[in-house]
Amino acid sequence: MVIRIIKVLLVLLGLLVMSGLAAIWYIGAWNIVFPSQQHDVEAPPIPDALVSPALLVFTKTNGFRHKEGINVGVEQIGTIAAEQGWNVFHTENGAVFNAIDLSRFDVVVFLNASGDMLNSDQELAFSDWLWAGGGWLGVHAAGDDSHRDWTWYIDTLIGARFTAHIMGPQFQTATVVMENPGHPVVADIPDTWEHTEEWYSWSRSPRETGFTILATVDENSYTPVQKFAGSERDLRMGDHPVVWSNCVGRGRSVYLAMGHKGDAFLQPQVRQLIVNAVTWMLSPADEFCPQDAISSAR
């Protein structure tokens, strides 16, 4: 009888463990609990028909996986690209980051890409490509703390260290306030608009290190606090950017903090920001990033 009870308890324990692991996978936190540093070594085949203007949409997640945001984001960027006459190649294979393959692309999109995604050679290939005139669009998790060990990336493309995102509730509607009305990335977008998001905070405003701020979030329009396990953490920044750009050698970058959930990519203003950002990166040098602009971070 005792043995039978023990067997039943072991079965129940096994089911509980399996259920817990399934839940971790389902919410996208597998690589948070079981960190991965897997780096691809064999590049994916790129179709010969892929011609400029071409976007590389990269969604590898060695950190938290925003499954819905990635799935809908890939679909919607594909739709936008078709409307604009751009070509798109989507992959989660980091070995595509080599000089030959990157030369096929005009813009790279880190769409909720997270974690230690690339090895040192791949990171260098990407920074060299961007410096030589490429364009980079980072979306949501591209600016989180899972990239903290890639110093060049944080200093050059993000400009500040991620601290936390709101919790309790995790998703809140807030007012986005546009800046730099003459900048091509904010063209045809209202001065203020509402958006529901898992709002990120950083250790400082990238404005302090010379990044061009294109939009901020009004901290009075939501509750910038992380409530978790009975404690509260104030996430107010004062100056709280959510869209910004930088000049990187002859290249350009734009970071967009929105995009946790799939419906973010259906939001007209977010879609317009994506269109504008890629169009700007495909355009000739302008006053915002002159051809001879050299970033201080190399």
Side-chain angles (χ1 to χ4, degrees), residues 25-284:
W25 175 84
Y26 180 77
I27 66 173
W30 186 268
N31 286 330
I32 302 296
V33 179
F34 306 103
S36 172
Q37 293 182 313
Q38 181 271 335
H39 296 141
D40 305 294
V41 295
E42 184 175 345
I46 301 175
D48 292 337
L50 188 87
V51 295
S52 182
L55 280 62
L56 171 61
V57 178
F58 186 57
T59 58
K60 184 171 183 174
T61 52
N62 275 353
F64 188 89
R65 185 169 184 83
H66 297 69
K67 293 193 296 182
E68 181 192 355
I70 288 173
N71 292 340
V72 179
V74 168
E75 176 187 334
Q76 290 303 312
I77 289 177
T79 299
I80 291 171
E83 295 169 351
Q84 299 295 320
W86 306 330
N87 292 293
V88 176
F89 180 72
H90 169 229
T91 187
E92 301 203 346
N93 186 334
V96 72
F97 286 84
N98 63 78
I100 294 175
D101 286 339
L102 285 174
S103 69
R104 302 278 305 276
F105 298 98
D106 303 283
V107 174
V108 168
V109 182
F110 278 16
L111 175 58
N112 278 320
S114 65
D116 181 5
M117 310 169 295
L118 308 176
N119 65 31
S120 57
D121 289 339
Q122 293 162 358
E123 291 175 353
L124 181 60
F126 171 64
S127 63
D128 285 347
W129 169 86
L130 183 60
W131 188 267
W136 176 82
L137 173 62
V139 178
H140 195 59
D144 71 14
D145 66 341
S146 67
H147 309 281
R148 58 187 174 274
D149 294 332
W150 189 359
T151 303
W152 174 88
Y153 178 91
I154 296 296
D155 291 345
T156 309
L157 302 181
I158 306 303
R161 296 278 172 175
F162 174 89
T163 55
H165 62 70
I166 55 172
M167 287 288 287
Q170 181 180 1
F171 299 96
Q172 299 180 36
T173 301
T175 301
V176 179
V177 181
M178 307 306 294
E179 293 193 19
N180 281 290
H183 198 290
V185 175
V186 303
D188 301 319
I189 297 177
D191 293 340
T192 61
W193 43 285
E194 303 299 307
H195 181 68
T196 302
E197 189 58 69
E198 174 198 68
W199 297 105
Y200 282 2
S201 288
W202 291 267
S203 58
R204 64 184 178 187
S205 168
R207 194 190 311 270
E208 297 178 20
T209 49
F211 285 67
T212 299
I213 305 305
L214 303 175
T216 59
V217 60
D218 181 355
E219 293 183 335
N220 293 319
S221 64
Y222 74 111
T223 305
V225 174
Q226 184 182 67
K227 300 178 182 179
F228 183 73
S231 64
E232 291 191 10
R233 181 181 181 184
D234 190 343
L235 301 182
R236 291 177 178 83
M237 295 175 60
D239 177 19
H240 196 146
V242 290
V243 185
W244 57 82
S245 68
N246 196 26
C247 306
V248 187
R250 294 177 179 271
R252 309 174 189 182
S253 72
V254 173
Y255 173 70
L256 174 67
M258 299 78 157
H260 181 103
K261 287 187 173 183
D263 57 11
F265 299 94
L266 304 177
Q267 223 273 12
Q269 287 79 21
V270 172
R271 290 174 63 86
Q272 191 64 52
L273 282 166
I274 293 172
V275 170
N276 290 350
V278 174
T279 300
W280 178 56
M281 294 171 190
L282 295 174
S283 302

